[in-house]
PDB file of all heavy atoms in Angstrom:
ATOM      1  N   CYS A   1      86.810 214.286 132.096  1.00 96.00           N
ATOM      2  CA  CYS A   1      86.183 213.240 131.283  1.00 96.00           C
ATOM      3  C   CYS A   1      85.730 213.885 129.980  1.00 96.00           C
ATOM      4  O   CYS A   1      85.757 215.111 129.828  1.00 96.00           O
ATOM      5  CB  CYS A   1      84.995 212.608 132.009  1.00 96.00           C
ATOM      6  SG  CYS A   1      83.561 213.715 132.178  1.00 96.00           S
ATOM      7  N   LYS A   2      85.292 213.056 129.048  1.00 95.00           N
ATOM      8  CA  LYS A   2      84.782 213.537 127.778  1.00 95.00           C
ATOM      9  C   LYS A   2      83.425 212.908 127.521  1.00 95.00           C
ATOM     10  O   LYS A   2      83.196 211.749 127.888  1.00 95.00           O
ATOM     11  CB  LYS A   2      85.746 213.211 126.642  1.00 95.00           C
ATOM     12  CG  LYS A   2      87.134 213.834 126.816  1.00 95.00           C
ATOM     13  CD  LYS A   2      88.047 213.523 125.653  1.00 95.00           C
ATOM     14  CE  LYS A   2      89.478 213.994 125.921  1.00 95.00           C
ATOM     15  NZ  LYS A   2      89.569 215.457 126.121  1.00 95.00           N
ATOM     16  N   VAL A   3      82.531 213.673 126.896  1.00 96.00           N
ATOM     17  CA  VAL A   3      81.220 213.133 126.533  1.00 96.00           C
ATOM     18  C   VAL A   3      80.976 213.364 125.047  1.00 96.00           C
ATOM     19  O   VAL A   3      81.337 214.416 124.498  1.00 96.00           O
ATOM     20  CB  VAL A   3      80.075 213.742 127.380  1.00 96.00           C
ATOM     21  CG1 VAL A   3      80.274 213.452 128.856  1.00 96.00           C
ATOM     22  CG2 VAL A   3      79.941 215.240 127.154  1.00 96.00           C
ATOM     23  N   ILE A   4      80.376 212.370 124.406  1.00 96.00           N
ATOM     24  CA  ILE A   4      80.150 212.415 122.966  1.00 96.00           C
ATOM     25  C   ILE A   4      78.694 212.098 122.663  1.00 96.00           C
ATOM     26  O   ILE A   4      78.223 210.991 122.957  1.00 96.00           O
ATOM     27  CB  ILE A   4      81.067 211.412 122.227  1.00 96.00           C
ATOM     28  CG1 ILE A   4      82.538 211.762 122.475  1.00 96.00           C
ATOM     29  CG2 ILE A   4      80.760 211.404 120.733  1.00 96.00           C
ATOM     30  CD1 ILE A   4      83.509 210.751 121.882  1.00 96.00           C
ATOM     31  N   PHE A   5      77.991 213.051 122.083  1.00 96.00           N
ATOM     32  CA  PHE A   5      76.617 212.840 121.618  1.00 96.00           C
ATOM     33  C   PHE A   5      76.649 212.394 120.159  1.00 96.00           C
ATOM     34  O   PHE A   5      77.346 213.000 119.333  1.00 96.00           O
ATOM     35  CB  PHE A   5      75.805 214.131 121.717  1.00 96.00           C
ATOM     36  CG  PHE A   5      75.493 214.571 123.116  1.00 96.00           C
ATOM     37  CD1 PHE A   5      76.309 215.485 123.765  1.00 96.00           C
ATOM     38  CD2 PHE A   5      74.380 214.086 123.778  1.00 96.00           C
ATOM     39  CE1 PHE A   5      76.022 215.905 125.054  1.00 96.00           C
ATOM     40  CE2 PHE A   5      74.077 214.498 125.067  1.00 96.00           C
ATOM     41  CZ  PHE A   5      74.901 215.408 125.709  1.00 96.00           C
ATOM     42  N   LEU A   6      75.847 211.383 119.845  1.00 95.00           N
ATOM     43  CA  LEU A   6      75.786 210.873 118.470  1.00 95.00           C
ATOM     44  C   LEU A   6      74.401 211.023 117.858  1.00 95.00           C
ATOM     45  O   LEU A   6      74.076 210.324 116.894  1.00 95.00           O
ATOM     46  CB  LEU A   6      76.211 209.400 118.446  1.00 95.00           C
ATOM     47  CG  LEU A   6      77.679 209.103 118.789  1.00 95.00           C
ATOM     48  CD1 LEU A   6      77.925 207.598 118.786  1.00 95.00           C
ATOM     49  CD2 LEU A   6      78.624 209.795 117.810  1.00 95.00           C
ATOM     50  N   PHE A   7      73.573 211.914 118.384  1.00 94.00           N
ATOM     51  CA  PHE A   7      72.215 212.036 117.833  1.00 94.00           C
ATOM     52  C   PHE A   7      72.228 212.563 116.405  1.00 94.00           C
ATOM     53  O   PHE A   7      71.367 212.200 115.597  1.00 94.00           O
ATOM     54  CB  PHE A   7      71.335 212.906 118.740  1.00 94.00           C
ATOM     55  CG  PHE A   7      71.770 214.341 118.871  1.00 94.00           C
ATOM     56  CD1 PHE A   7      71.333 215.303 117.977  1.00 94.00           C
ATOM     57  CD2 PHE A   7      72.603 214.728 119.905  1.00 94.00           C
ATOM     58  CE1 PHE A   7      71.730 216.621 118.101  1.00 94.00           C
ATOM     59  CE2 PHE A   7      72.999 216.046 120.047  1.00 94.00           C
ATOM     60  CZ  PHE A   7      72.567 217.005 119.136  1.00 94.00           C
ATOM     61  N   LYS A   8      73.204 213.406 116.055  1.00 94.00           N
ATOM     62  CA  LYS A   8      73.281 213.908 114.681  1.00 94.00           C
ATOM     63  C   LYS A   8      73.594 212.776 113.713  1.00 94.00           C
ATOM     64  O   LYS A   8      73.001 212.690 112.632  1.00 94.00           O
ATOM     65  CB  LYS A   8      74.349 215.000 114.578  1.00 94.00           C
ATOM     66  CG  LYS A   8      74.024 216.283 115.330  1.00 94.00           C
ATOM     67  CD  LYS A   8      75.135 217.309 115.137  1.00 94.00           C
ATOM     68  CE  LYS A   8      74.829 218.605 115.868  1.00 94.00           C
ATOM     69  NZ  LYS A   8      75.922 219.597 115.705  1.00 94.00           N
ATOM     70  N   PHE A   9      74.523 211.925 114.099  1.00 93.00           N
ATOM     71  CA  PHE A   9      74.850 210.757 113.284  1.00 93.00           C
ATOM     72  C   PHE A   9      73.631 209.843 113.142  1.00 93.00           C
ATOM     73  O   PHE A   9      73.313 209.369 112.055  1.00 93.00           O
ATOM     74  CB  PHE A   9      76.019 210.004 113.920  1.00 93.00           C
ATOM     75  CG  PHE A   9      76.140 208.567 113.488  1.00 93.00           C
ATOM     76  CD1 PHE A   9      76.530 208.240 112.198  1.00 93.00           C
ATOM     77  CD2 PHE A   9      75.849 207.538 114.375  1.00 93.00           C
ATOM     78  CE1 PHE A   9      76.636 206.917 111.804  1.00 93.00           C
ATOM     79  CE2 PHE A   9      75.948 206.217 113.986  1.00 93.00           C
ATOM     80  CZ  PHE A   9      76.349 205.899 112.701  1.00 93.00           C
ATOM     81  N   LEU A  10      72.919 209.609 114.246  1.00 92.00           N
ATOM     82  CA  LEU A  10      71.737 208.751 114.219  1.00 92.00           C
ATOM     83  C   LEU A  10      70.677 209.335 113.296  1.00 92.00           C
ATOM     84  O   LEU A  10      70.066 208.604 112.497  1.00 92.00           O
ATOM     85  CB  LEU A  10      71.181 208.581 115.635  1.00 92.00           C
ATOM     86  CG  LEU A  10      69.912 207.744 115.769  1.00 92.00           C
ATOM     87  CD1 LEU A  10      70.156 206.311 115.289  1.00 92.00           C
ATOM     88  CD2 LEU A  10      69.426 207.741 117.220  1.00 92.00           C
ATOM     89  N   GLU A  11      70.443 210.623 113.380  1.00 91.00           N
ATOM     90  CA  GLU A  11      69.442 211.259 112.512  1.00 91.00           C
ATOM     91  C   GLU A  11      69.812 211.138 111.045  1.00 91.00           C
ATOM     92  O   GLU A  11      68.935 210.923 110.194  1.00 91.00           O
ATOM     93  CB  GLU A  11      69.281 212.734 112.908  1.00 91.00           C
ATOM     94  CG  GLU A  11      68.595 212.923 114.254  1.00 91.00           C
ATOM     95  CD  GLU A  11      68.478 214.375 114.664  1.00 91.00           C
ATOM     96  OE1 GLU A  11      69.275 215.211 114.171  1.00 91.00           O
ATOM     97  OE2 GLU A  11      67.598 214.695 115.471  1.00 91.00           O
ATOM     98  N   ASP A  12      71.078 211.254 110.765  1.00 92.00           N
ATOM     99  CA  ASP A  12      71.531 211.121 109.376  1.00 92.00           C
ATOM    100  C   ASP A  12      71.343 209.688 108.873  1.00 92.00           C
ATOM    101  O   ASP A  12      70.962 209.465 107.716  1.00 92.00           O
ATOM    102  CB  ASP A  12      73.002 211.523 109.269  1.00 92.00           C
ATOM    103  CG  ASP A  12      73.491 211.545 107.830  1.00 92.00           C
ATOM    104  OD1 ASP A  12      72.905 212.302 107.025  1.00 92.00           O
ATOM    105  OD2 ASP A  12      74.434 210.804 107.505  1.00 92.00           O
ATOM    106  N   GLU A  13      71.548 208.720 109.754  1.00 90.00           N
ATOM    107  CA  GLU A  13      71.411 207.315 109.388  1.00 90.00           C
ATOM    108  C   GLU A  13      69.960 206.935 109.101  1.00 90.00           C
ATOM    109  O   GLU A  13      69.685 206.144 108.206  1.00 90.00           O
ATOM    110  CB  GLU A  13      71.970 206.424 110.508  1.00 90.00           C
ATOM    111  CG  GLU A  13      73.476 206.375 110.575  1.00 90.00           C
ATOM    112  CD  GLU A  13      74.066 205.568 109.438  1.00 90.00           C
ATOM    113  OE1 GLU A  13      73.590 204.450 109.185  1.00 90.00           O
ATOM    114  OE2 GLU A  13      75.017 206.060 108.780  1.00 90.00           O
ATOM    115  N   ILE A  14      69.034 207.459 109.874  1.00 89.00           N
ATOM    116  CA  ILE A  14      67.632 207.044 109.715  1.00 89.00           C
ATOM    117  C   ILE A  14      66.800 208.089 108.980  1.00 89.00           C
ATOM    118  O   ILE A  14      65.604 207.891 108.770  1.00 89.00           O
ATOM    119  CB  ILE A  14      66.996 206.716 111.078  1.00 89.00           C
ATOM    120  CG1 ILE A  14      66.894 207.961 111.959  1.00 89.00           C
ATOM    121  CG2 ILE A  14      67.788 205.629 111.783  1.00 89.00           C
ATOM    122  CD1 ILE A  14      66.195 207.694 113.280  1.00 89.00           C
ATOM    123  N   LYS A  15      67.437 209.205 108.596  1.00 88.00           N
ATOM    124  CA  LYS A  15      66.811 210.230 107.755  1.00 88.00           C
ATOM    125  C   LYS A  15      65.572 210.861 108.400  1.00 88.00           C
ATOM    126  O   LYS A  15      64.589 211.165 107.722  1.00 88.00           O
ATOM    127  CB  LYS A  15      66.422 209.649 106.383  1.00 88.00           C
ATOM    128  CG  LYS A  15      67.529 208.899 105.666  1.00 88.00           C
ATOM    129  CD  LYS A  15      68.765 209.775 105.440  1.00 88.00           C
ATOM    130  CE  LYS A  15      69.851 209.008 104.702  1.00 88.00           C
ATOM    131  NZ  LYS A  15      71.122 209.769 104.621  1.00 88.00           N
ATOM    132  N   LYS A  16      65.649 211.050 109.714  1.00 86.00           N
ATOM    133  CA  LYS A  16      64.561 211.760 110.390  1.00 86.00           C
ATOM    134  C   LYS A  16      65.064 212.236 111.755  1.00 86.00           C
ATOM    135  O   LYS A  16      66.008 211.659 112.321  1.00 86.00           O
ATOM    136  CB  LYS A  16      63.324 210.876 110.562  1.00 86.00           C
ATOM    137  CG  LYS A  16      63.508 209.648 111.427  1.00 86.00           C
ATOM    138  CD  LYS A  16      62.209 208.840 111.479  1.00 86.00           C
ATOM    139  CE  LYS A  16      62.373 207.570 112.300  1.00 86.00           C
ATOM    140  NZ  LYS A  16      61.136 206.760 112.334  1.00 86.00           N
ATOM    141  N   PRO A  17      64.456 213.293 112.282  1.00 83.00           N
ATOM    142  CA  PRO A  17      64.906 213.803 113.587  1.00 83.00           C
ATOM    143  C   PRO A  17      64.565 212.828 114.711  1.00 83.00           C
ATOM    144  O   PRO A  17      63.542 212.154 114.677  1.00 83.00           O
ATOM    145  CB  PRO A  17      64.131 215.119 113.740  1.00 83.00           C
ATOM    146  CG  PRO A  17      62.931 214.966 112.860  1.00 83.00           C
ATOM    147  CD  PRO A  17      63.368 214.118 111.712  1.00 83.00           C
ATOM    148  N   VAL A  18      65.437 212.758 115.696  1.00 83.00           N
ATOM    149  CA  VAL A  18      65.182 211.913 116.863  1.00 83.00           C
ATOM    150  C   VAL A  18      65.071 212.750 118.135  1.00 83.00           C
ATOM    151  O   VAL A  18      64.689 212.237 119.183  1.00 83.00           O
ATOM    152  CB  VAL A  18      66.291 210.851 117.052  1.00 83.00           C
ATOM    153  CG1 VAL A  18      66.335 209.917 115.859  1.00 83.00           C
ATOM    154  CG2 VAL A  18      67.652 211.504 117.269  1.00 83.00           C
ATOM    155  N   THR A  19      65.403 214.022 118.035  1.00 82.00           N
ATOM    156  CA  THR A  19      65.324 214.899 119.200  1.00 82.00           C
ATOM    157  C   THR A  19      64.626 216.196 118.806  1.00 82.00           C
ATOM    158  O   THR A  19      64.594 216.579 117.635  1.00 82.00           O
ATOM    159  CB  THR A  19      66.720 215.247 119.746  1.00 82.00           C
ATOM    160  OG1 THR A  19      67.484 215.896 118.722  1.00 82.00           O
ATOM    161  CG2 THR A  19      67.448 213.998 120.204  1.00 82.00           C
ATOM    162  N   HIS A  20      64.082 216.874 119.793  1.00 82.00           N
ATOM    163  CA  HIS A  20      63.438 218.162 119.587  1.00 82.00           C
ATOM    164  C   HIS A  20      64.510 219.215 119.310  1.00 82.00           C
ATOM    165  O   HIS A  20      65.639 219.131 119.800  1.00 82.00           O
ATOM    166  CB  HIS A  20      62.638 218.523 120.851  1.00 82.00           C
ATOM    167  CG  HIS A  20      61.650 219.623 120.656  1.00 82.00           C
ATOM    168  ND1 HIS A  20      62.027 220.947 120.540  1.00 82.00           N
ATOM    169  CD2 HIS A  20      60.303 219.610 120.563  1.00 82.00           C
ATOM    170  CE1 HIS A  20      60.947 221.691 120.391  1.00 82.00           C
ATOM    171  NE2 HIS A  20      59.890 220.920 120.403  1.00 82.00           N
ATOM    172  N   LEU A  21      64.154 220.236 118.533  1.00 85.00           N
ATOM    173  CA  LEU A  21      65.101 221.316 118.227  1.00 85.00           C
ATOM    174  C   LEU A  21      65.664 221.934 119.501  1.00 85.00           C
ATOM    175  O   LEU A  21      66.855 222.253 119.575  1.00 85.00           O
ATOM    176  CB  LEU A  21      64.405 222.395 117.389  1.00 85.00           C
ATOM    177  CG  LEU A  21      65.274 223.603 117.015  1.00 85.00           C
ATOM    178  CD1 LEU A  21      66.475 223.180 116.181  1.00 85.00           C
ATOM    179  CD2 LEU A  21      64.445 224.641 116.260  1.00 85.00           C
ATOM    180  N   ILE A  22      64.826 222.070 120.525  1.00 89.00           N
ATOM    181  CA  ILE A  22      65.311 222.722 121.748  1.00 89.00           C
ATOM    182  C   ILE A  22      66.304 221.836 122.506  1.00 89.00           C
ATOM    183  O   ILE A  22      67.138 222.331 123.260  1.00 89.00           O
ATOM    184  CB  ILE A  22      64.136 223.144 122.657  1.00 89.00           C
ATOM    185  CG1 ILE A  22      64.607 224.211 123.654  1.00 89.00           C
ATOM    186  CG2 ILE A  22      63.505 221.942 123.350  1.00 89.00           C
ATOM    187  CD1 ILE A  22      63.498 224.938 124.344  1.00 89.00           C
ATOM    188  N   PHE A  23      66.242 220.506 122.276  1.00 91.00           N
ATOM    189  CA  PHE A  23      67.265 219.642 122.864  1.00 91.00           C
ATOM    190  C   PHE A  23      68.627 219.995 122.286  1.00 91.00           C
ATOM    191  O   PHE A  23      69.638 219.996 123.001  1.00 91.00           O
ATOM    192  CB  PHE A  23      66.952 218.175 122.603  1.00 91.00           C
ATOM    193  CG  PHE A  23      68.066 217.243 123.016  1.00 91.00           C
ATOM    194  CD1 PHE A  23      68.249 216.912 124.353  1.00 91.00           C
ATOM    195  CD2 PHE A  23      68.934 216.704 122.072  1.00 91.00           C
ATOM    196  CE1 PHE A  23      69.274 216.057 124.744  1.00 91.00           C
ATOM    197  CE2 PHE A  23      69.964 215.858 122.455  1.00 91.00           C
ATOM    198  CZ  PHE A  23      70.138 215.536 123.787  1.00 91.00           C
ATOM    199  N   LYS A  24      68.670 220.284 121.020  1.00 92.00           N
ATOM    200  CA  LYS A  24      69.938 220.678 120.394  1.00 92.00           C
ATOM    201  C   LYS A  24      70.446 221.977 121.008  1.00 92.00           C
ATOM    202  O   LYS A  24      71.654 222.175 121.158  1.00 92.00           O
ATOM    203  CB  LYS A  24      69.748 220.811 118.884  1.00 92.00           C
ATOM    204  CG  LYS A  24      69.379 219.476 118.199  1.00 92.00           C
ATOM    205  CD  LYS A  24      69.100 219.663 116.728  1.00 92.00           C
ATOM    206  CE  LYS A  24      68.873 218.324 116.028  1.00 92.00           C
ATOM    207  NZ  LYS A  24      67.684 217.608 116.503  1.00 92.00           N
ATOM    208  N   GLN A  25      69.537 222.876 121.367  1.00 93.00           N
ATOM    209  CA  GLN A  25      69.940 224.104 122.066  1.00 93.00           C
ATOM    210  C   GLN A  25      70.548 223.777 123.424  1.00 93.00           C
ATOM    211  O   GLN A  25      71.529 224.395 123.845  1.00 93.00           O
ATOM    212  CB  GLN A  25      68.732 225.030 122.226  1.00 93.00           C
ATOM    213  CG  GLN A  25      68.151 225.551 120.918  1.00 93.00           C
ATOM    214  CD  GLN A  25      66.898 226.387 121.139  1.00 93.00           C
ATOM    215  OE1 GLN A  25      66.675 226.936 122.210  1.00 93.00           O
ATOM    216  NE2 GLN A  25      66.062 226.460 120.109  1.00 93.00           N
ATOM    217  N   LEU A  26      69.941 222.804 124.099  1.00 94.00           N
ATOM    218  CA  LEU A  26      70.481 222.357 125.387  1.00 94.00           C
ATOM    219  C   LEU A  26      71.896 221.821 125.224  1.00 94.00           C
ATOM    220  O   LEU A  26      72.804 222.174 125.998  1.00 94.00           O
ATOM    221  CB  LEU A  26      69.563 221.290 125.985  1.00 94.00           C
ATOM    222  CG  LEU A  26      70.083 220.503 127.190  1.00 94.00           C
ATOM    223  CD1 LEU A  26      70.324 221.414 128.379  1.00 94.00           C
ATOM    224  CD2 LEU A  26      69.106 219.391 127.567  1.00 94.00           C
ATOM    225  N   VAL A  27      72.118 220.982 124.219  1.00 95.00           N
ATOM    226  CA  VAL A  27      73.446 220.425 123.996  1.00 95.00           C
ATOM    227  C   VAL A  27      74.442 221.528 123.649  1.00 95.00           C
ATOM    228  O   VAL A  27      75.579 221.521 124.137  1.00 95.00           O
ATOM    229  CB  VAL A  27      73.399 219.352 122.884  1.00 95.00           C
ATOM    230  CG1 VAL A  27      74.821 218.903 122.505  1.00 95.00           C
ATOM    231  CG2 VAL A  27      72.575 218.155 123.337  1.00 95.00           C
ATOM    232  N   ASN A  28      74.024 222.479 122.830  1.00 94.00           N
ATOM    233  CA  ASN A  28      74.919 223.591 122.482  1.00 94.00           C
ATOM    234  C   ASN A  28      75.299 224.404 123.713  1.00 94.00           C
ATOM    235  O   ASN A  28      76.456 224.823 123.860  1.00 94.00           O
ATOM    236  CB  ASN A  28      74.256 224.489 121.441  1.00 94.00           C
ATOM    237  CG  ASN A  28      74.197 223.851 120.067  1.00 94.00           C
ATOM    238  OD1 ASN A  28      75.002 222.971 119.750  1.00 94.00           O
ATOM    239  ND2 ASN A  28      73.249 224.270 119.252  1.00 94.00           N
TER     240      ASN A  28
END
């Protein structure tokens, strides 16, 4: 299967972070 996170797109759209920095580490 494939999974797609769009939090980066969402943050760019609303011009503010929506997740904690460490969440991005988790995704990486």
Side-chain angles (χ1 to χ4, degrees):
C1 70
K2 300 182 187 299
V3 300
I4 299 175
F5 290 95
L6 293 177
F7 64 88
K8 293 181 179 179
F9 159 70
L10 178 61
E11 290 178 337
D12 186 59
E13 285 287 312
I14 66 177
K15 309 302 181 187
K16 63 182 178 181
V18 298
T19 59
H20 195 286
L21 179 61
I22 199 165
F23 172 78
K24 296 176 174 64
Q25 296 176 23
L26 168 63
V27 172
N28 287 336

